[in-house]
Amino acid sequence: PATINDTWGFKSDDENWKSVPDLVRKLVDIASKGGNYLLNVGPTAEGVIPQPSVERLLAVGHWLETNGESVYGTSVGPVQGLDWCRTMAKPGKVYLHVFDWPADVVLRLPGLTGRVTGATLLADPGAGALEVEQSGGEVTVRGPAVAPDPVDSVVVLDLAD
């Protein structure tokens, strides 16, 4: 479990709120390793959820409206231990969560087994297929010049049966 600020219950002088990017990335990090992320929300004595908590929960929910497919019902990612991304999987798919979009727009994912047959941006499937190459145990994907999401851009890798 984690808190949205520094305390487990409501504390009027605790204004150290975690940022939305931090909350989204922590959710993705934990889910990519097979865990669940429980966020504690401390209501006031009147039972009111503080507005900063509401704002953050709504923002994480908005991110999940677009990217939830890459989190809900997934299993542990096939590639672990990279600083710039996390992976999660479903049958026939690997979701590549890119936290740090590379300046050269080439995503290099080592150690992925299985043949990749295509790649798209989860948040923008209408953008079409991304260029993919697979060689020597590394998958490279050429993405757009700018990260589609400054917090976590999700690339869907389709795998052969």
Side-chain angles (χ1 to χ4, degrees):
T3 61
I4 294 179
N5 55 4
D6 286 338
T7 55
W8 287 101
F10 176 74
K11 189 172 181 185
S12 62
D13 63 347
D14 183 358
E15 295 294 327
N16 191 25
W17 300 99
K18 292 176 178 71
S19 70
V20 171
D22 184 46
L23 294 171
V24 167
R25 288 178 177 187
K26 186 64 74 177
L27 165 70
V28 168
D29 178 54
I30 292 167
S32 75
K33 298 169 185 166
N36 292 311
Y37 191 33
L38 172 65
L39 278 175
N40 181 65
V41 178
T44 66
E46 295 79 27
V48 175
I49 303 296
Q51 190 60 33
S53 289
V54 171
E55 291 166 3
R56 282 152 180 79
L57 292 171
L58 288 172
V60 171
H62 179 71
W63 184 87
L64 283 167
E65 283 178 2
T66 302
N67 298 286
E69 171 189 325
S70 68
V71 176
Y72 298 124
T74 58
S75 60
V76 173
V79 178
Q80 297 286 325
L82 300 176
D83 291 337
W84 61 274
C85 74
R86 300 294 181 272
T87 62
M88 293 184 229
K90 284 184 179 175
K93 294 186 185 303
V94 170
Y95 298 94
L96 177 60
H97 290 260
V98 183
F99 297 157
D100 299 312
W101 201 258
D104 66 358
V105 305
V106 177
L107 308 170
R108 293 173 178 83
L109 187 64
L112 183 64
T113 58
R115 189 169 58 87
V116 177
T117 60
T120 55
L121 295 170
L122 182 58
D124 190 8
L130 301 175
E131 181 183 326
V132 179
E133 292 180 22
Q134 193 167 11
S135 176
E138 180 177 80
V139 174
T140 58
V141 179
R142 183 166 299 280
V146 177
D149 184 323
V151 174
D152 177 4
S153 299
V154 181
V155 176
V156 182
L157 302 176
D158 295 313
L159 302 178
D161 292 334

